[in-house]
Amino acid sequence: MHVQEWLETVPAVAVYALVGIVIGLESLGIPLPGEIILVSSALLASQHGDIDPVILGACATAGAIIGDSIGYAIGRKGGRPLLAWLGGKFPRHFSEAHIATAERSFQKWGMWAVFFGRFVALLRIFAGPLAGVLHMPYWKFLTANVLGGILWAGGTTAVIYYVGIVAESWLKRFSWLGLVLAVLIGLTSMLVLKRKAKKTAAATAATAPAPATVGD
């Protein structure tokens, strides 16, 4: 069953809790489809009046901030042995190459890696634990975590909600042809962004200096 179809069978309160918990666990460092759940829930809210987009955005934001903070605390206490353990449990997400790429991002951007990492699937999982492992000053982490969480979770909810309202009205007038066109445009954009992201990551890996501890 599609995520959105399944969400339609869940009460609004359960949707709020599900979004907050899944995003919180993803931000903590567990590979989960937080973004998919958030986008599906926001789209569902645009089509059904039972789900309040404001409450949904607030739950997503709280989950993102709290999850990242817990991940930071775990990373600070567990250190690099924690990353090695995660690499054994989730080799696809916590491989040495992915960790090295994330470390270079932190070395180059500092607290901004936490902020902008919220919008990148890989860094969204790494941000909290890795900031703790690298001993980023907590006030820097917290500032970037709160701002990034509000902008990503709240912004995504608002954008998808209003796009869903507009798209529903638009698709009613243009029938299935509009839906096909929208899907094709979305897939093309996604493929282009993925290709650019891979090229950027490869270039960064080739030119970036060796990772070091994030200073005060």
Side-chain angles (χ1 to χ4, degrees):
M1 185 180 293
H2 190 275
V3 172
Q4 186 176 345
E5 293 174 348
W6 177 72
L7 284 172
E8 290 178 358
T9 67
V10 180
V13 174
V15 172
Y16 302 144
L18 177 67
V19 168
I21 291 172
V22 171
I23 290 177
L25 291 175
E26 182 191 38
S27 301
L28 188 152
I30 299 176
L32 289 175
E35 193 166 45
I36 294 176
I37 293 293
L38 178 59
V39 169
S40 299
S41 300
L43 189 59
L44 184 63
S46 71
Q47 300 171 5
H48 300 276
D50 293 339
I51 300 176
D52 189 327
V54 176
I55 298 177
L56 181 66
C59 291
T61 301
I65 295 172
I66 294 171
D68 243 13
S69 297
I70 295 174
Y72 175 90
I74 293 174
R76 188 154 187 132
K77 184 175 181 180
R80 292 192 176 276
L82 173 66
L83 295 181
W85 180 83
L86 289 172
K89 293 293 183 180
F90 307 102
R92 181 180 175 184
H93 297 85
F94 288 90
S95 66
E96 291 184 7
H98 286 169
I99 292 174
T101 299
E103 282 185 308
R104 284 192 290 269
S105 298
F106 271 71
Q107 179 61 25
K108 183 176 182 179
W109 300 106
M111 63 183 290
W112 292 109
V114 177
F115 178 83
F116 289 112
R118 178 60 64 183
F119 301 87
V120 181
L122 180 62
L123 283 179
R124 187 162 56 247
I125 298 172
F126 279 123
L130 191 56
V133 169
L134 297 178
H135 288 82
M136 176 180 288
Y138 184 68
W139 71 268
K140 288 186 177 182
F141 170 79
L142 183 62
T143 301
N145 178 28
V146 171
L147 293 178
I150 292 173
L151 190 59
W152 174 74
T156 298
T157 302
V159 169
I160 297 300
Y161 176 77
Y162 287 111
V163 166
I165 292 177
V166 173
E168 185 178 21
S169 175
W170 187 79
L171 290 175
K172 281 181 180 178
R173 281 184 277 173
F174 292 94
S175 188
W176 63 273
L177 290 175
L179 177 60
V180 171
L181 180 60
V183 170
L184 289 176
I185 292 174
L187 288 174
T188 301
S189 300
M190 181 180 68
L191 291 174
V192 170
L193 287 174
K194 278 191 172 182
R195 182 171 296 180
K196 287 185 176 180
K198 285 183 178 180
K199 288 183 178 179
T200 302
T204 302
T207 60
T213 302
V214 175
D216 291 332

